[in-house]
Each structure stands twice: as structure tokens, then as C-alpha cells.
């Protein structure tokens, strides 16, 4: 990124404890990026497509996606995002409690950009969020918003 514009992060998570932990990790790490939160897969797709209540939603630069979601699973969201020419360039990091090899393999087959198991320990969780932020904001070059590939 250009180094001065905060990036828009979409957290797709239904567990209120994990949402709070992620917000606290952003605050603790002084992450200046904007964290938008939706609670299920259908809301995620409405947010990404700017439909209904999300008509004015920003386009995320990064999606943090849980797999175990109500109404539409994280795998279904990932499949739709990566199949949509308007959305497929948004990096998707699977951030989930599942360590099942099948979930990991399926996520990468659907073109997830990374798969991260959520640590249970708060300090480790903070470290993981910081590393995701450092990698996708500092190391990786993301496309400029509005640019089509």
C-alpha cells in the first residue's frame, strides 16, 4: 500500500468473543486500519456487493474470514469471492479455530491467500493479528482500490 492510507479490513466472524479479541488486538497493536465487522456469510456477501444496509460500505483491502458461520459458511463465502471478477483480487485470510487438514486444503483450493488457526491465548492472538497486519500492509503490495485486473 502507499504507506499513509489505512486499509479497510472486513472481519467475517459470528463469535462475539473473537470479534472483541480482534478489536482489542487492533487497538493493542495500534493498528490504524479500519475494521468492519459482519456476523455471517450472507452479510459478508451483501457488504462486499454493497447491497441493502451495506450500500455505502467501503471496499475491503483485506478479508479476515472465519469458516464456521451461520446462514452461509466461510467456504461458501470464499468460493463466491474468488469466483467474482470484482472481488477476487481482495486477499482473503482464513482466521479460524479449525486445524483440520481437510479445511486447510479446501481453503487453498478455493484460492485463500492464507490460512491461520486462531490461538486461544490472548497474547498469541495479538501477535497473530499483528503479523497479519504487518504482512498484508507492510510487505505485500495490494492493488489500488478501484483498479481492475
Amino acid at each position: 500500500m502507499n504507506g499513509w492510507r489505512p486499509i479497510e479490513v472486513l472481519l467475517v466472524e459470528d463469535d462475539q468473543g473473537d470479534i472483541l479479541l480482534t478489536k482489542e488486538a487492533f487497538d493493542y497493536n495500534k493498528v490504524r486500519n479500519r475494521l468492519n465487522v459482519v456476523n455471517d456469510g450472507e452479510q459478508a456477501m451483501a457488504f462486499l456487493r454493497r447491497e441493502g444496509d451495506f450500500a455505502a460500505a467501503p471496499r475491503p483491502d483485506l478479508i479476515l474470514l472465519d469458516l464456521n458461520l451461520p446462514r452461509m459458511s466461510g467456504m461458501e463465502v470464499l468460493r463466491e469471492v474468488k469466483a467474482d471478477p470484482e472481488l477476487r483480487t481482495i486477499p482473503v485470510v482464513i482466521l479460524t479455530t479449525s486445524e483440520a487438514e481437510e479445511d486447510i486444503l479446501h481453503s487453498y483450493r478455493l484460492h485463500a491467500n492464507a490460512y491461520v488457526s486462531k490461538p486461544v491465548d490472548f497474547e498469541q492472538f495479538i501477535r497473530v493479528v499483528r503479523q497479519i497486519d504487518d504482512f498484508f500492509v507492510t510487505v505485500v503490495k495490494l492493488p489500488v482500490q478501484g483498479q481492475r485486473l
Side-chain angles (χ1 to χ4, degrees):
M1 300 299 316
N2 57 23
W4 60 271
R5 181 181 70 84
I7 70 166
E8 297 286 344
V9 178
L10 176 60
L11 174 63
V12 186
E13 175 62 68
D14 66 315
D15 184 289
Q16 293 305 310
D18 286 347
I19 292 169
L20 184 60
L21 269 179
T22 305
K23 286 179 177 179
E24 287 179 6
F26 268 60
D27 290 343
Y28 183 87
N29 288 319
K30 311 238 182 315
V31 174
R32 292 181 301 271
N33 300 321
R34 294 187 193 109
L35 185 64
N36 303 278
V37 180
V38 294
N39 301 117
D40 65 49
E42 287 183 5
Q43 285 182 356
M45 293 314 301
F47 186 100
L48 291 165
R49 292 181 175 141
R50 298 179 178 144
E51 298 170 345
D53 292 343
F54 301 106
R59 176 185 165 86
D61 298 293
L62 176 65
I63 300 169
L64 301 179
L65 179 63
D66 186 25
L67 292 182
N68 304 311
L69 298 169
R71 299 174 56 192
M72 180 182 201
S73 76
M75 288 293 184
E76 291 171 304
V77 171
L78 179 60
R79 182 181 295 111
E80 284 200 31
V81 167
K82 294 305 180 177
D84 186 322
E86 296 293 319
L87 303 174
R88 72 170 52 127
T89 59
I90 302 171
V92 178
V93 174
I94 304 300
L95 186 58
T96 188
T97 54
S98 173
E99 293 185 27
E101 189 65 31
E102 178 182 318
D103 287 342
I104 297 167
L105 192 56
H106 194 185
S107 295
Y108 282 118
R109 283 184 178 144
L110 292 175
H111 306 289
N113 297 83
Y115 190 102
V116 179
S117 294
K118 289 181 201 170
V120 199
D121 174 76
F122 179 67
E123 293 299 320
Q124 286 182 318
F125 191 88
I126 286 175
R127 198 169 316 123
V128 163
V129 170
R130 173 90 247 163
Q131 289 171 337
I132 291 170
D133 180 66
D134 283 347
F135 184 71
F136 280 97
V137 177
T138 308
V139 178
V140 172
K141 286 284 213 191
L142 296 173
V144 175
Q145 283 204 5
Q147 295 291 318
R148 295 195 59 184
L149 295 182

